[in-house]
Amino acid sequence: MEYPRISKNINKIESVLQDQTSVLLFNARLHYSITRDKKQFYKAVDTVEKNWICPELERFLEKTQGEGIIVWGCGHDGKETKRVLDLCGHPPAFFCDRDTDKVGSRVEGVEVISFDSLVKKYSHYSVVIGSGAYKREMYRDLVSNNFPEQNILNPRYNHLQARTEKKQYFDVFKPDENEIFVDVGAYLGETIWDFVQWTDRNYLKIIAMEPSEERCRHIAASCKERGLKNVYVKAFAAWEKEDRLFFKEDKAGSRVEQNKQDNGNVVKAIDMDNIIQNDPVTFIKMDIEGGELKALKGAGMVIKRERPKLAISLYHKPEDIIELPLYLLELVPEYKFYIRHYRSDICETVLYAYV
């Protein structure tokens, strides 16, 4: 895409952003998609978001007996861990690293100590492991050196992550009467429950789309347990047309692929126009790990006809920051946009659209 056209498209999107937060995050996301410079993106996020929570950290701090916090590992994941600790008001006292060249230095203003010092002098501290690649080995090393297990936090993901206190997908719009909600990428159904609470159970219908039949059974059972009515769970991947795709399971973000995956299962895909048909849909949420544009193309008739509120993930692909808003404006030129960000790292940016 030539520069004049890119510039024109950027200006077109910016012209329908509804507040300064959206403009700031749009430009930060655009800059990151080109440069992959996290620091500039974080600077923008920290300008607009001040209140962060990390449930994993809070649960750990309730049981640990440590006098302070040490982050083991001062590489990428360790620095991300420090960022979360700082955001949540628990800055680390030290980094720890086995690299003797780093010991005695300061990383992001924090002193680096050796592993020997950690286990011999600082066993009364709490350790947060800051390495996704070696987390199991690091945990075993601490335990084998008699470091108190209750003082070790081995994060679920590669590094500790925090989120804002705002409710993702539901903090921009107010609910209307008789909402018909489509949850595309329903996973285990948490967003369905958020929607129900958002509407105070005053909704007309919920359609959940999730490729995994096992997860669909879980969603159906969970909804039944909570007494939810008019919830229709569809075991399909949302796509631009009816197809068969490969579904790759990944705790960091399961997704469909057109090409065969070594550990992927074949799943049925379908366009949302086919699923929704004549339902007067009022709200579509979509988070499908990079398949958003394909799925939106498969929902083109419904979006043109009903002009629903939209909450669309805007971070899976570098080009999404331009392509997704532009496509929505092609469908409905009257759409106005908000952009919000919900996590301490570069994931969970959401584009909101409404008429």
Side-chain angles (χ1 to χ4, degrees):
M1 188 182 293
E2 64 275 13
Y3 177 78
R5 186 179 173 190
I6 294 174
S7 180
K8 182 179 179 180
N9 288 336
I10 290 172
N11 291 337
K12 183 176 181 179
I13 295 167
E14 283 189 317
S15 71
V16 294
L17 294 174
Q18 295 301 289
D19 61 10
Q20 190 56 39
T21 294
S22 301
V23 173
L24 185 68
L25 290 174
F26 172 74
N27 284 294
R29 190 92 236 172
L30 181 62
H31 182 268
Y32 175 73
S33 71
I34 298 168
T35 67
R36 316 312 280 177
D37 181 356
K38 286 186 178 182
K39 288 186 177 180
Q40 287 299 313
F41 183 75
Y42 289 163
K43 184 178 179 180
V45 170
D46 293 347
T47 300
V48 297
E49 297 295 345
K50 303 298 182 184
N51 299 316
W52 297 88
I53 55 176
C54 178
E56 186 177 29
L57 176 64
E58 296 304 323
R59 289 192 296 269
F60 172 65
L61 293 176
E62 286 177 2
K63 68 176 185 178
T64 184
Q65 299 173 1
E67 293 182 12
I69 295 176
I70 299 172
V71 177
W72 187 8
C74 54
H76 171 271
D77 291 344
K79 292 174 183 175
E80 293 285 324
T81 300
K82 176 189 179 296
R83 169 174 164 76
V84 170
L85 293 169
D86 288 344
L87 290 174
C88 294
H90 301 286
F94 302 101
F95 275 115
C96 170
D97 207 282
R98 288 190 184 276
D99 187 341
T100 55
D101 290 337
K102 294 179 181 177
V103 173
S105 68
R106 301 185 80 84
V107 173
E108 299 193 348
V110 178
E111 181 183 349
V112 182
I113 63 173
S114 68
F115 179 74
D116 287 343
S117 292
L118 172 63
V119 296
K120 291 176 181 178
K121 298 180 182 179
Y122 294 98
S123 60
H124 56 296
Y125 276 61
S126 299
V127 171
V128 180
I129 294 175
S131 171
Y134 303 105
K135 57 192 302 183
R136 291 189 179 88
E137 295 90 332
M138 294 164 82
Y139 184 86
R140 286 198 297 266
D141 284 350
L142 285 168
V143 173
S144 65
N145 280 275
N146 299 315
F147 198 91
E149 287 190 63
Q150 72 271 17
N151 286 7
I152 307 171
L153 174 56
N154 196 357
R156 179 183 178 188
Y157 296 105
N158 286 346
H159 56 76
L160 212 57
Q161 296 175 356
R163 57 179 172 83
T164 69
E165 293 182 336
K166 298 171 183 175
K167 187 63 72 174
Q168 186 169 340
Y169 311 119
F170 302 102
D171 81 310
V172 169
F173 306 127
K174 298 294 184 184
D176 296 316
E177 291 185 5
N178 298 321
E179 292 272 6
I180 297 181
F181 178 57
V182 185
D183 187 356
V184 185
Y187 190 51
L188 296 177
E190 295 95 334
T191 306
I192 293 173
W193 182 239
D194 288 342
F195 167 78
V196 170
Q197 292 178 307
W198 179 67
T199 61
D200 197 24
R201 291 183 179 257
N202 181 27
Y203 65 89
L204 197 61
K205 185 176 183 179
I206 298 170
I207 301 170
M209 295 186 68
E210 172 59 40
S212 166
E213 292 189 2
E214 181 180 351
R215 290 179 189 169
C216 285
R217 288 191 291 270
H218 177 93
I219 293 168
S222 177
C223 290
K224 182 178 180 180
E225 184 178 325
R226 286 170 161 160
L228 304 185
K229 305 296 184 181
N230 298 324
V231 180
Y232 301 87
V233 184
K234 307 291 185 179
F236 292 101
W239 205 241
E240 63 182 334
K241 61 181 180 179
E242 195 168 345
D243 205 345
R244 297 182 73 81
L245 303 173
F246 298 96
F247 184 64
K248 183 177 181 181
E249 293 276 3
D250 186 341
K251 71 176 183 179
S254 300
R255 58 194 179 275
V256 293
E257 305 275 4
Q258 288 181 287
N259 299 319
K260 181 173 174 56
Q261 302 294 311
D262 292 338
N263 60 340
N265 300 313
V266 176
V267 296
K268 293 178 286 187
I270 197 168
D271 56 287
M272 291 169 60
D273 287 334
N274 198 332
I275 286 285
I276 296 170
Q277 296 187 355
N278 295 320
D279 273 333
V281 169
T282 62
F283 191 179
I284 298 173
K285 163 261 171 179
M286 188 179 294
D287 184 352
I288 50 175
E289 304 302 321
E292 285 80 8
L293 185 59
K294 294 282 191 181
L296 287 171
K297 288 181 176 179
M301 288 193 298
V302 166
I303 293 173
K304 282 182 179 181
R305 183 185 75 227
E306 305 297 342
R307 306 199 300 181
K309 300 183 290 290
L310 302 172
I312 311 295
S313 288
L314 193 64
Y315 66 93
H316 293 117
K317 295 180 177 180
E319 59 270 26
D320 283 349
I321 188 64
I322 298 293
E323 290 187 349
L324 299 186
L326 279 182
Y327 182 68
L328 293 177
L329 289 175
E330 287 179 17
L331 293 177
V332 182
E334 297 83 7
Y335 266 143
K336 307 296 182 185
F337 296 144
Y338 286 92
I339 297 176
R340 294 293 185 265
H341 187 78
Y342 296 92
R343 207 161 77 182
S344 56
D345 64 6
I346 52 102
C347 299
E348 307 307 336
T349 303
V350 177
L351 173 70
Y352 294 93
Y354 78 103
V355 176

